Amino acid sequence: MPPHKPKSKRVTLLDVARKAGFSPSTVSIVLSEAPLSRYVAAQTKERIRKTAAALGYRPDVFARSLRSRRSNTVGVLVFDISDPFCVFILQGIEKTLHGTPYLPILMDAHNDQKRFAGYLDLLMERRVEGLIVVANWLFDEGELLSTVKAEKIPSVVVGRDTSEKELGSVIVDNEAGGYEVMKHLYELGHRRIAVIRGPDSLRDSQRRWAGMQRFAQESGLELDPRKVRTLPEVLDPTSGFQGGLQATEDLLRTRLKFTALAAFDDLTALGAMRALSAAGRSVPQDCSMVGFDDVPMAGFCTPGLTTIRQPMEEMGGTATKRMLDALAASETEVSPDLQLLPPTLVLRDSTAPVRGKDA
Amino acid sequence: MPPHKPKSKRVTLLDVARKAGFSPSTVSIVLSEAPLSRYVAAQTKERIRKTAAALGYRPDVFARSLRSRRSNTVGVLVFDISDPFCVFILQGIEKTLHGTPYLPILMDAHNDQKRFAGYLDLLMERRVEGLIVVANWLFDEGELLSTVKAEKIPSVVVGRDTSEKELGSVIVDNEAGGYEVMKHLYELGHRRIAVIRGPDSLRDSQRRWAGMQRFAQESGLELDPRKVRTLPEVLDPTSGFQGGLQATEDLLRTRLKFTALAAFDDLTALGAMRALSAAGRSVPQDCSMVGFDDVPMAGFCTPGLTTIRQPMEEMGGTATKRMLDALAASETEVSPDLQLLPPTLVLRDSTAPVRGKDA
DNA sequence: TCGTTGAGTGAGAAGGCTATCACAAAGACC
DNA sequence: GGTCTTTGTGATAGCCTTCTCACTCAACGA
């Protein structure tokens, strides 16, 4: 090391100002591209930027935030990051935020109300300017979303219908998805279709079922209530699989015939497939299977699971855009509308035309 | 609203000081529990804390960070968050950080070197005090980790052996894992075992293979080189599945007999299972299958996949602890040791005793 | 009596940035 | 020639904390 002072202090804006021969004000205006920089001569800007680069100047985010009262961060509060469903939503958020001045601060509530509340608090303490909540169905949010609403910052929820709480939200069109499931199975010739619904209390579950019923009505298909099961209201992460497994075992025990099974979601479908396999029935030869969500697993299991794809990345992106818009308009909240995104049917190998005497 | 001034300014430390009748210095000392607070009279502390609570005082993180030169944040830089492998590591990190004054700032590089570099820069700009890199095998990190090393903050890598780069890292004991795979299959009576190795350039792959060979040598098992395949060096997220699928098709084409297959990781195993199924061979009746990692999918596919579990949450936790220790000792780096955590064999339904004439 | 020590508190100065206002010069307009 | 607007730059005042030093008072030993 040369006999420099070993202090190695950071370069400050003042250093740049001195070196470039302008005042700190001008330098600040130029480097932060404030509105006033319109008036700054082009060559001044040039010179300032060059010396800044030469000195390796990096603004101090804390000083900046302290003075400007803006954190340039948004909070992302996830119910449970281990839900594969969440990950793509996060990617959508991240991609949309990339390029904006906002940095996401991600917190995972681990399906725990207390933790959720604590992290919400923490994010507010860090002065996030906006908030995105990524919900999944396993989580009983209780009054938590009301506390979100109470914070006076633009907030939006992805993955759960929260219109009744006056919070903006973005979800898939579950009703359309349910309709598609039935339509697909019907078109393959299936008429004896079993259904495993989601927990009753869940809006998603109600809408999907409504879509299925609508198709049934329109097409004259009859959905035998004895072949409809409902997942219990448990809230542990693997409950979908377990629930699907047990519901299917239950269905098999009734000895009622069904040539296709529509599951609440992919995990439920995987549980159902396990049960069918244990009973010696193969998919899709003996029973077609449709899931919902299109989590990565759906593509990697054998047979590949035909399912209804939620446009997760797009959902995350859309929610983020709505929040950014509110932020840009310096509004204090996102409009409390429910936004529905269309699902798509993804064909894989778990569904096939009905055969045998049912054909 | 009562006719208050509508300014609704934040409560500052000064407000608390005035209300409590002490100087800002004293209030600061008490509320931030600085070393000097030892000397402050108990009842003074009490009084200050009470008025702070009464006023609803919350310290301004930016002012605090500006003055104290500490951000109370650590960066978490993930190669690809959609890798299911990462998620539990993240949970381990999060759990370990919870309760400390450090907030994680998570960034996802999307398997993109440029993005990685950009985010690293961003994190440094945000003045994170420590850094945890969560690696996966799909990512060619190039010189990136050297740039991490160049930042003078405690950094640690999870999921990749980086001891040669003089960076601390925490990984699973791949050699032991490979050994376990062979041992398990051997004990089930398998003697004709096919192997799908990971990409050659990958350390993990070399170690696992070394473990397998060691067991083979110790037990006298012969590993036929014609039944060993190597995944190509491709770097796209689903390459494991595709690679497993193709390697297995290739193996089947040779018509060489094998009663068990050891896959590089779970995704590879799932691809292999797809290929076996397409060829009319069922798992585990016709061929046992072992994966590596124990990603959630391994438990939900049918048959459930027997695999070697990486203690992912523990890996994240251990790495975080090492970083926290360095931080606590105000060191500028984590000791560049490679730390190996033991894997465990998870028994599911994809392996079974060998049968038929091979028994 | 004079330092000396320790407990307890306060004054004042940063820390690096930006917002606001003020100022200066130059052209435009009446 | 005076006023107004536009363009371009600088001075100053904080933003809210924490840190350093200094001060007071009491007790204590020499």
Side-chain angles (χ1 to χ4, degrees):
Chain A
M1 277 277 175
H4 272 148
K5 273 202 215 132
K7 54 191 333 192
S8 123
K9 282 193 44 170
R10 289 173 59 85
V11 227
T12 75
L13 186 135
L14 195 65
D15 298 329
V16 179
R18 270 199 284 259
K19 186 97 171 188
F22 290 94
S23 76
S25 322
T26 308
V27 176
S28 167
I29 286 166
V30 170
L31 293 182
S32 58
E33 304 190 48
L36 274 173
S37 68
R38 278 191 308 126
Y39 299 135
V40 176
Q43 58 168 351
T44 305
K45 285 191 205 170
E46 175 76 6
R47 174 111 141 266
I48 288 176
R49 274 199 260 267
K50 279 217 172 126
T51 49
L55 292 178
Y57 168 71
R58 317 191 79 183
D60 182 316
V61 282
F62 302 118
R64 173 176 282 185
S65 288
L66 174 59
R67 180 66 241 240
S68 67
R69 322 256 57 194
R70 312 199 48 201
S71 66
N72 290 312
T73 56
V74 297
V76 179
L77 200 33
V78 183
F79 280 4
D80 180 12
I81 202 178
S82 71
D83 189 330
F85 172 80
C86 293
V87 173
F88 296 101
I89 295 180
L90 290 182
Q91 291 199 329
I93 294 173
E94 194 259 5
K95 283 189 184 166
T96 310
L97 242 27
H98 194 243
T100 74
Y102 295 102
L103 187 78
I105 298 191
L106 177 73
M107 295 278 108
D108 174 14
H110 285 176
N111 279 317
D112 177 352
Q113 293 212 20
K114 279 225 189 65
R115 237 180 163 101
F116 185 96
Y119 280 144
L120 177 59
D121 216 52
L122 213 140
L123 289 173
M124 296 314 297
E125 190 154 348
R126 292 275 169 171
R127 302 271 272 284
V128 293
E129 298 181 38
L131 187 65
I132 303 171
V133 177
V134 181
N136 67 352
W137 66 272
L138 289 165
F139 192 57
D140 175 23
E141 84 265 20
E143 288 307 303
L144 290 177
L145 295 182
S146 307
T147 66
V148 167
K149 168 88 182 156
E151 309 290 352
K152 291 294 174 209
I153 58 170
S155 310
V156 59
V157 179
V158 194
R160 190 175 290 213
D161 178 350
T162 53
S163 47
E164 59 192 9
K165 310 242 174 179
E166 305 256 309
L167 267 172
S169 50
V170 177
I171 61 171
V172 73
D173 187 341
N174 283 298
E175 208 264 357
Y179 188 93
E180 282 298 316
V181 169
M182 277 304 153
K183 180 156 171 275
H184 174 59
L185 291 175
Y186 187 89
E187 285 173 354
L188 288 173
H190 295 280
R191 294 299 179 268
R192 303 162 183 239
I193 302 174
V195 177
I196 302 178
R197 300 182 49 188
D200 260 333
S201 64
L202 201 69
R203 265 267 223 199
D204 289 4
S205 173
Q206 296 164 16
R207 304 308 306 152
R208 289 179 198 178
W209 177 237
M212 292 180 181
Q213 284 182 305
R214 183 164 65 83
F215 178 82
Q217 201 151 36
E218 287 179 13
S219 63
L221 173 71
E222 199 179 327
L223 290 173
D224 184 345
R226 292 172 306 165
K227 294 181 200 159
V228 176
R229 289 290 175 281
T230 300
L231 294 179
E233 307 274 344
V234 268
L235 302 170
D236 97 279
T238 58
S239 68
F241 184 82
Q242 275 305 320
L245 184 80
Q246 281 160 16
T248 307
E249 285 172 348
D250 194 36
L251 280 168
L252 290 168
R253 262 194 298 273
T254 63
R255 307 217 149 268
L256 293 166
K257 170 140 186 152
F258 55 92
T259 63
L261 201 164
F264 171 62
D265 66 3
D266 290 343
L267 217 56
T268 308
L270 291 172
M273 281 163 80
R274 176 76 59 93
L276 288 172
S277 163
R281 299 225 205 171
S282 59
V283 175
Q285 292 81 355
D286 304 322
C287 179
S288 283
M289 176 79 63
V290 185
F292 205 109
D293 284 352
D294 195 25
V295 295
M297 255 176 263
F300 296 134
C301 60
T302 299
L305 182 63
T306 292
T307 190
I308 299 291
R309 163 178 254 283
Q310 296 205 38
M312 302 184 254
E313 196 173 315
E314 191 188 342
M315 286 159 66
T318 304
T320 308
K321 274 191 216 104
R322 284 178 66 184
M323 187 203 56
L324 287 174
D325 287 346
L327 236 33
S330 35
E331 277 158 11
T332 160
E333 63 170 29
V334 170
S335 66
D337 305 330
L338 175 66
Q339 192 168 354
L340 295 181
L341 263 38
T344 45
L345 177 67
V346 178
L347 292 174
R348 294 206 180 87
D349 311 316
S350 70
T351 50
V354 71
R355 27 181 239 177
K357 65 180 198 300
D358 287 288
Chain B
M1 278 273 175
H4 272 148
K5 273 203 216 132
K7 53 191 333 191
S8 124
K9 283 194 41 172
R10 288 174 57 87
V11 200
T12 76
L13 186 133
L14 195 65
D15 298 329
V16 178
R18 270 200 284 260
K19 186 96 171 187
F22 290 95
S23 76
S25 323
T26 308
V27 175
S28 168
I29 287 167
V30 170
L31 293 182
S32 58
E33 305 189 45
L36 274 173
S37 69
R38 279 190 307 125
Y39 298 135
V40 176
Q43 58 169 349
T44 304
K45 287 192 205 171
E46 174 77 5
R47 174 113 141 266
I48 287 176
R49 276 200 258 266
K50 278 217 173 128
T51 48
L55 292 178
Y57 168 72
R58 315 191 81 183
D60 182 317
V61 282
F62 302 118
R64 171 175 285 182
S65 288
L66 173 59
R67 183 66 244 241
S68 66
R69 321 256 59 191
R70 314 199 47 201
S71 66
N72 290 311
T73 56
V74 297
V76 180
L77 199 34
V78 184
F79 280 4
D80 181 10
I81 202 178
S82 72
D83 189 330
F85 172 79
C86 292
V87 172
F88 297 102
I89 295 180
L90 290 181
Q91 292 199 330
I93 295 173
E94 194 260 4
K95 283 190 183 165
T96 310
L97 242 27
H98 194 242
T100 75
Y102 295 101
L103 187 77
I105 299 192
L106 177 73
M107 295 280 110
D108 173 16
H110 285 174
N111 278 316
D112 178 352
Q113 292 210 23
K114 278 224 189 66
R115 237 180 163 100
F116 185 95
Y119 280 143
L120 177 59
D121 215 52
L122 214 141
L123 289 173
M124 296 314 297
E125 191 154 348
R126 293 275 170 172
R127 302 270 271 286
V128 293
E129 299 181 37
L131 186 65
I132 303 170
V133 176
V134 181
N136 68 352
W137 65 273
L138 290 164
F139 192 57
D140 175 22
E141 84 266 20
E143 288 307 303
L144 290 177
L145 294 181
S146 307
T147 66
V148 167
K149 167 88 182 155
E151 310 289 353
K152 291 295 175 209
I153 57 170
S155 310
V156 60
V157 179
V158 194
R160 190 176 292 213
D161 178 351
T162 54
S163 47
E164 60 193 8
K165 310 241 173 185
E166 304 257 309
L167 267 172
S169 50
V170 177
I171 61 171
V172 72
D173 187 340
N174 284 298
E175 208 265 356
Y179 188 92
E180 282 298 315
V181 169
M182 278 302 153
K183 178 156 172 274
H184 173 58
L185 292 175
Y186 187 89
E187 285 173 356
L188 288 173
H190 296 279
R191 293 298 179 271
R192 302 160 183 240
I193 302 176
V195 177
I196 302 178
R197 298 181 51 188
D200 258 334
S201 64
L202 202 69
R203 265 266 223 203
D204 289 3
S205 174
Q206 297 165 15
R207 303 310 304 152
R208 289 179 199 177
W209 177 237
M212 292 180 183
Q213 285 182 304
R214 183 165 64 85
F215 178 82
Q217 201 151 35
E218 288 179 13
S219 62
L221 174 69
E222 198 179 329
L223 290 173
D224 184 345
R226 293 173 304 164
K227 294 181 199 158
V228 176
R229 289 291 174 281
T230 300
L231 294 179
E233 306 274 345
V234 269
L235 301 171
D236 95 280
T238 58
S239 69
F241 185 83
Q242 276 304 321
L245 184 81
Q246 281 160 16
T248 307
E249 284 171 349
D250 193 36
L251 281 168
L252 290 168
R253 261 194 300 274
T254 65
R255 307 218 147 270
L256 292 167
K257 169 135 190 157
F258 55 93
T259 63
L261 200 164
F264 171 61
D265 67 2
D266 290 343
L267 217 55
T268 308
L270 291 172
M273 280 162 80
R274 176 77 59 92
L276 288 173
S277 164
R281 300 226 205 169
S282 59
V283 174
Q285 292 81 356
D286 304 321
C287 179
S288 283
M289 177 77 64
V290 185
F292 205 109
D293 285 352
D294 195 25
V295 295
M297 254 177 264
F300 296 134
C301 60
T302 299
L305 183 63
T306 292
T307 190
I308 299 291
R309 161 178 257 280
Q310 296 205 37
M312 302 185 253
E313 196 172 315
E314 192 188 342
M315 286 158 67
T318 304
T320 308
K321 273 190 217 105
R322 284 178 66 184
M323 188 204 55
L324 288 174
D325 288 347
L327 237 32
S330 35
E331 277 157 12
T332 161
E333 63 170 32
V334 171
S335 66
D337 304 331
L338 175 65
Q339 192 168 353
L340 295 180
L341 264 36
T344 44
L345 177 68
V346 178
L347 293 174
R348 295 207 180 87
D349 312 315
S350 69
T351 50
V354 71
R355 21 181 246 178
K357 66 179 195 304
D358 288 289

